[in-house]
Amino acid sequence: MLLLSEKDIRKVYTMKDAVEADKKAFKLVVDEKADAPLRTNIQAPKYDGCFLFMPAYVEDMDIASLKIVNIFPRNIDNGKPSAPAQVLLIDGKTGEVIAILDGTYVTKLRTGAASGAAFDLLARKNCKIGALIGTGGQAETQLEAMVNVRDLDEVRVFDLNYDRTVEFAERMQEYLKDFSTKIVAVRTSDEAVDNADLLITVTPSTKPVFDGNKIKEGATVSCVGAYQHHMQEMDPVILERASKIYFDSKEAVLSESGDILIPLEEGIITEEDFTGDLGDVINGKIKARENDDEIIVFETVGVATQDLVAAYEIYKKALENNVGTVWE
């Protein structure tokens, strides 16, 4: 069995690799070639957390996986990951666990890559300004994915804690120094979204974190954080203004995400307003952006097939490059 740490993964796998892996995963989902039951969610209300168990199996690839990811937002205040996790990779021919990967980093990669894939497929080609709301454990790779798929002049970052926002912007400016994008901390959500071509929200908020009336025409919005029914980062106004609404998986979103479930229940939108899954865009079954004035919304809650594809590709690259620790 191969043990792969974050350091090991970074040696062999890039954000661009992760974006392409997510596209493969989304295609597997809509092609119904992945057996990935909806995740088991066990609540830990005492700590505002939850335990998530996410299995997946792709027969054509002879591989299965199980991710154990625990969402504890308070961890950020103690300098710990808000989504600690491990991924078990399983040989589909023998049932043996062949690798254990740092699931915290795999989750960061594939979650950021989902926004990256959506922007790559749906956003205007000439995007110049990005906005990121949230600076928690998942924010780094969201920003990394954004600048990987579009050549941006500036990304504005907002979080309720301004000191943390400044620290995050400075740290990410250094980390992304190979890109020409300027990372700027701002004090309000309105400042962040003003004239932004791309917007990512990645917070545990239970109320909207931006004003949907202030999103410019032609913008592409990716909402990432609302993985439970009571969570709602997205201003429902943006759903009314949107020309198209896409998902990583409609089934998964409608089982979990308050961003979509709450507006449905309130009658703000209906299922007729949904465009479809990103995998159907990849397959050419539904259209992507048709003009530069469309506002496009992408809602993602994450599916286990993303973890499987990413983990398997990391595992193969690690073997090729003799990276990782063998546990016999």
Side-chain angles (χ1 to χ4, degrees):
M1 182 166 56
L2 191 63
L3 304 180
L4 293 167
S5 67
E6 176 179 342
K7 184 177 179 181
D8 295 328
I9 295 168
R10 286 182 180 274
K11 289 178 182 177
V12 298
Y13 206 67
T14 68
M15 176 53 73
K16 288 187 176 180
D17 293 329
V19 168
E20 295 307 311
D22 268 9
K23 290 179 184 177
K24 291 180 186 177
F26 295 146
K27 179 174 168 56
L28 287 167
V29 169
V30 298
D31 289 345
E32 298 184 346
K33 291 187 175 181
D35 186 354
L38 294 175
R39 56 189 168 200
T40 298
N41 184 331
I42 299 175
Q43 293 291 302
K46 183 177 179 182
Y47 301 102
D48 296 327
C50 65
F51 306 96
L52 303 175
F53 302 88
M54 302 175 63
Y57 171 53
V58 177
E59 185 176 38
D60 289 353
M61 295 168 60
D62 284 327
I63 205 75
S65 65
L66 173 65
K67 184 171 78 173
I68 303 168
V69 54
N70 307 315
I71 311 296
F72 281 71
R74 293 187 200 173
N75 282 1
I76 190 173
D77 296 325
N78 299 312
K80 294 184 177 182
S82 58
Q86 301 293 338
V87 177
L88 280 66
L89 195 63
I90 304 162
D91 189 319
K93 299 184 292 294
T94 67
E96 297 174 291
V97 176
I98 55 176
I100 299 177
L101 296 84
D102 181 332
T104 303
Y105 188 55
V106 171
T107 300
K108 287 181 180 181
L109 274 174
R110 64 81 147 157
T111 305
S115 292
F119 289 157
D120 196 33
L121 294 164
L122 304 173
R124 294 164 51 189
K125 300 300 182 186
N126 61 341
C127 295
K128 291 301 176 185
I129 298 176
L132 173 68
I133 299 178
T135 62
Q138 298 298 312
E140 295 177 6
T141 51
Q142 295 291 330
L143 178 54
E144 184 179 4
M146 188 189 292
V147 300
N148 263 274
V149 300
R150 289 294 183 270
D151 184 15
L152 301 175
D153 293 335
E154 179 177 277
V155 176
R156 305 180 194 126
V157 183
F158 168 70
D159 189 281
L160 292 175
N161 184 321
Y162 183 67
D163 290 340
R164 187 167 67 206
T165 308
V166 171
E167 185 279 328
F168 175 87
E170 292 175 349
R171 174 163 46 85
M172 293 305 295
Q173 186 73 75
E174 173 62 23
Y175 178 66
L176 299 172
K177 60 186 177 183
D178 291 339
F179 297 87
S180 59
T181 309
K182 184 178 180 181
I183 314 300
V184 181
V186 297
R187 291 184 177 274
T188 68
S189 173
D190 286 351
E191 286 181 82
V193 305
D194 180 40
N195 205 37
D197 301 296
L198 305 176
L199 167 63
I200 294 174
T201 63
V202 57
T203 77
S205 183
T206 57
K207 60 183 180 181
V209 297
F210 65 91
D211 183 343
N213 291 300
K214 296 189 176 181
I215 302 300
K216 69 181 285 187
E217 289 189 358
T220 307
V221 178
S222 176
C223 292
V224 181
Y227 63 91
Q228 297 188 71
H229 193 153
H230 69 283
M231 292 178 165
Q232 189 180 24
E233 301 179 292
M234 187 193 302
D235 184 348
V237 168
I238 201 65
L239 295 172
E240 297 179 286
R241 295 184 62 205
S243 299
K244 296 183 173 73
I245 302 169
Y246 299 90
F247 308 115
D248 54 355
S249 163
K250 176 183 173 182
E251 179 187 18
V253 168
L254 291 184
S255 73
E256 297 184 324
S257 177
D259 274 344
I260 302 298
L261 291 172
I262 294 171
L264 275 175
E265 291 161 2
E266 293 178 349
I268 296 171
I269 55 170
T270 69
E271 292 198 29
E272 284 69 39
D273 295 312
F274 302 158
T275 309
D277 288 0
L278 206 58
D280 287 323
V281 176
I282 295 166
N283 281 343
K285 290 185 177 180
I286 58 176
K287 293 180 178 180
R289 174 178 292 277
E290 295 180 86
N291 63 68
D292 283 351
D293 293 328
E294 290 183 313
I295 293 175
I296 289 179
V297 169
F298 175 67
E299 180 73 29
T300 173
V301 294
V303 291
T305 311
Q306 292 170 265
D307 302 302
L308 182 149
V309 174
Y312 189 41
E313 292 195 350
I314 292 166
Y315 172 73
K316 291 187 292 183
K317 285 179 175 286
L319 290 180
E320 290 170 6
N321 291 278
N322 196 30
V323 168
T325 302
V326 177
W327 184 21
E328 298 179 349

